[in-house]
Amino acid sequence: MSISNWKYNTEQSLVENHGLKHDEFESIVEGLGREPNLTELGIFSAMWNEHCSYKSSKYWLKKLPTSGDRVVQGPGENAGVIDIDDGDVAVFKMESHNHPSFIEPYQGAATGVGGILRDVFTMGARPVANLNALRFGEIDHPKTKHLLSGVVEGIGGYGNCIGIPTVGGEVNFHPSYNGNILVNAMTVGIAKKDKIFYSAAAGIGNPVVYVGSKTGRDGIHGATMASAEFDDDSEDKKPTVQVGDPFTEKLLLEACLELMKEEAIIAIQDMGAAGLTSSSIEMASKGNVGLEIDLTKVPMRAQNMTAYELMLSESQERMLMVIDPTKESLARNIFRKWDLEFEVIGKVTDTKNLVLNMNGKEEACIPINILVEDAPEYQRDYIIREPSKRIKIIQDQFDQKTIIPDLIEMISHPNLCSRKWIWEQYDHMVMADTIVRPGSDAAVVRVHGTNKGIAISTDCSPIYCKHNSFEGGKHAIVETWRNIIASGALPIAVTDCMNFGNPEKPEIMGEFVECIRGMAESCSYLNYPVISGNVSLYNETNGVGIYPTPAIGGVGLIKDLSKTMTIGLKNEGNIICVIGETSGHLNMSQYLSIIKNKEEGSVPEINLEIEKKNGMFVLDCIEGHLTLSVHDIGEGGLLIAMSEMCMAGNFGVQIEVKKEFLHAYLFGEDQGRYLIEVSEKNYEKVIALAKDNSVHIEKLGFVGGTDLKINHLNKVSIAQLVEKNSEFFEKYTGE
Amino acid sequence: MLAKIHITLKKDVLDPQGKVVANSLNTLGFETVQDVRQGKYIEVTIDEEDTDIAKQKLNQMCEKLLANLVIEDYSVEIE
Amino acid sequence: MLAKIHITLKKDVLDPQGKVVANSLNTLGFETVQDVRQGKYIEVTIDEEDTDIAKQKLNQMCEKLLANLVIEDYSVEIE
Amino acid sequence: MKSKVIVFPGSNCDRDVAVAIRKISGSEPQMVWHKETSLSNSDLIIVPGGFSYGDYLRCGAIASTSPIIYEVVKKANEGVPVIGICNGFQILIETSLLDGALIRNNSLSFICRDVYIKSENQTSIFTKKTNIAKMPIAHNEGNYFASDETLKKIVDNDQVAFKYCNQEGEVTSHSNPNGSLENIAGILNDRKNVLGLMPHPERAAESALGCEDGKYIFESILS
Ligand SMILES: Nc1ncnc2c1ncn2[C@@H]1O[C@H](COP(=O)(O)OP(=O)(O)O)[C@@H](O)[C@H]1O
Ligand SMILES: [Mg+2]
């Protein structure tokens, strides 16, 4: 069957297999004034799918605050850009690679890292840090162990080889991810403010250049398999899993950065999802021009590739550029030096059409505006679920004698134990600028050759987001903000990765809407805008969706690295204070979940006014050299945070708590709190400063000894805590 | 009983290692090398009497652990 | 011409990977597995007419690059 | 002091080592691309860490056939000090300038963490200033292996430069991160002008990075 004879009516399933709805197809026909051929159909299908078009999310994403004093580039480019003084900028973004990682955890995660790295160095930045936000199913699920090991190995395999430190991240286990794991990768890069590169093609007649690896049949949309077109073909045509090649990416990185020093690049765009299709269309659309491409010129790895396959291949480690024609041979030589493909495959035109030729025959001709501006956009129905209600937790059900055993059980739990097993598989020190390594709050990476640094943290609490999407969305933003504050940095901006279930279900869409609303509220109040992000919908298997997971990656600035803070306790005799009020919010806490096996009650609410006041107070203390260590109080509550400080610094502590309901005080998850360590000498000063700022502060106890002691009654040695805290991953994966 | 298992990448799956090795052989002066594909070769010593049972078990081992069927093929031979 | 190269660890060289794989296979219920040794299998497509010359070149490739003779042995077969 | 840092495609600790050398010696090291063929006028040659050629095939194998390597071997044989760090150690092993082999960590996973090492050889130009030192490792294949015969030779000839140990300097199996024979972390050639080691002294050469012990190795040679 020839492509041009193909008819919609007789092959309705072909349209469906391309994920296009009937009315979407109708609008293609209307726009083109004819039916598309197969190549064109493939292009529309790639551009109009959720991943590229944001058709379900666009309307809502616009509600997020995206501007601020330091925002140089908000959402819309390959990555967002913020000003970090002295002509320097930080460039960052987070992206999901959920589905590929479920299919093949090593390669899926590895190519996820490769993809986000390209997004950042396309902008002209040298990547300086990677992070990863991971979610797996419950640990007893038969697939979890394999997926966990593979994903961690894949992230390490790629990041280690390319030589960019992986400095942080997060990992959770929850049954809602049994059938859909989440692998979100974030990269931060550093560039000069006047040397940022964008993707808008310009200059009629300028050459369009393909660089990087050759194109194979990697990751071509599954729809092609089901289409009749391939019936008579053998195994050969099966789309294949994308395999990452970090070595080639390293060469591509160095070659691109080398070329960027010359005034040769007019526009540059990496080939990510939907490869050549999305990159070429993006460049044309941004530049309001047309492109003409000769597909015969595309470097190919496999034989007999069709126009359809070339346009939809997701082979990794490739880039598209428009260059200054007078610099062509200079550019070619740079790529040759790095042993990379460099091919002029087309030119910029004034037609505003995407024209594809192959072997002298026109394979496609689509007006860019139909692909982009006419892309579907939906305001899907949504239902907002009532947030879960507060339950009464009665003190009588708790015995004070269980405090220490409960603590041990909690810090041994997969969701709260040390992630050392993970980060030790990542080179987190290469580039010799990692000032705060994983295991503290935010990681801190020095801007090379200076005395300033950026603090980075990723966070999200899906349980909060499920049971109160608005507060959950608020919380995800605030949690990174707190982590950045606790490391001594001023929070500046965030990137997000919105992982949700099927948006065609009103309840799921409601979760999305509410999370966005919560995020927007925190972002505006804290002057902490969203500058880039990614949406991953349809994370569902057999009708069961994941918990709403808006993973947030926050970035802050430390102007003077001598003011960097870590969580480890520093010295005997120092005083520990709690900043922020503790009411003992055990509802929906890790305590209930881990110890009582219950996920119930209300989600703790965030008062943004108090949040900001407390955070700024802590930052003032750090700036004034008044604290020796700081840790925010997050999941698990005060005692978990205290234990983490003890373990990190290898010091004991004596805590005095005159509260009746000890469990609630120690394990409750009230928001807006930090633990700080201050010397006796500075104690009064800190108390006075708190009073001046009307910040709630309580003295909790003293640093000292080798045990964690509560009211002289309950105690446990730090050595035992460390042992229990570091056991899980090794045992689990070693079995 | 000694079993010899070959694990190879499926056709069309990118083999970054093979690519680099081929280039490097060319540079070393072996210009007639056109392509290199790198796979695994695993020798398993197994204590079984019956070749059929052994073979069946070896296939299972490949499916469960030794090969990554998403991107690799395997073959089992028994000496 | 397609050449098949096997690279195996010398007998007295420790094979950490083989050891772990053997343990995992035992844990997975394949209790009759006694030993596992992991090597490499490399397919080289080479444009030569003469098998002898090809063989000679392939041996050189192994000596110069493909095998580490301190710890590995190799064998070359031509289809 | 004229130091040279060799850069292969895939090297990624080349800049880090150059920064450390500059800081410690006050003079700028020269970066040498692997396709170059001359190393004249070198007082110190460094083969840095990373993943040369992606560590494909075998770590260090492909890099060890690069044009510049013939020159490195020549200079080494003339007595010029050469240090191979991590991947650089693997490359020097592949050139046979150093004995033995580096195989996969016994845990089968990449390991990035601080370890302690102590110098076994107290007299070489690289080791004379170091006693017990804390330094990071970051590798997949750092498990040192040698035949009995080779091992005996390097031990008898005082070619073991560093061993993994605990904080107190005791060489225990617990302090061996990767399964190396006799906890070997670094070795010297016959003539003791070539050092290969798995730990990264360049990542531990300033207090801001948490540790300065790496300095001593560079100071030993640079002084
Ligand atoms: N997947 C991961 N990769 C690297 N580091 C991780 C990962 N998961 C957690 N970490 C690190 O472990 C530490 C604790 O993480 P987490 O419990 O999420 O901290 P917090 O609750 O303070 O946000 C942090 O330093 C974090 O960066
Ligand atoms: Mg924290």
Side-chain angles (χ1 to χ4, degrees), chain A residues 641-676:
Chain A
M642 190 67 253
S643 309
E644 287 168 348
M645 295 175 83
C646 292
M647 291 187 284
N650 199 20
F651 277 105
V653 72
Q654 295 196 25
I655 302 177
E656 296 283 343
V657 185
K658 294 181 194 65
K659 293 280 186 297
E660 291 241 318
F661 193 175
L662 214 49
H663 279 84
Y665 185 80
L666 294 173
F667 296 116
E669 296 185 4
D670 301 272
Q671 300 295 301
R673 294 181 302 160
Y674 302 79
L675 289 173
I676 63 173

Side-chain angles (χ1 to χ4, degrees), chain B residues 10-23:
Chain B
K10 291 196 156 114
K11 187 165 178 269
D12 274 357
V13 169
L14 175 71
D15 178 6
Q17 306 219 38
K19 194 176 84 183
V20 169
V21 172
N23 282 344

Side-chain angles (χ1 to χ4, degrees), chain A residues 132 134 168-171 419 422-423 426 438-441 459 479 483:
Chain A
N132 54 106
L134 312 177
E170 54 175 334
V171 58
R419 274 76 181 104
I422 297 179
W423 77 64
Y426 301 152
S440 208
D441 276 323
D459 280 289
E479 176 73 27
N483 278 308

Side-chain angles (χ1 to χ4, degrees), chain D residues 114-133:
Chain D
D114 286 334
V115 297
Y116 287 90
I117 57 172
K118 64 182 281 204
S119 32
E120 283 291 297
N121 172 309
Q122 309 275 349
T123 54
S124 83
I125 47 166
F126 308 105
T127 55
K128 60 188 183 209
K129 278 201 169 187
T130 312
N131 185 17
I132 299 168

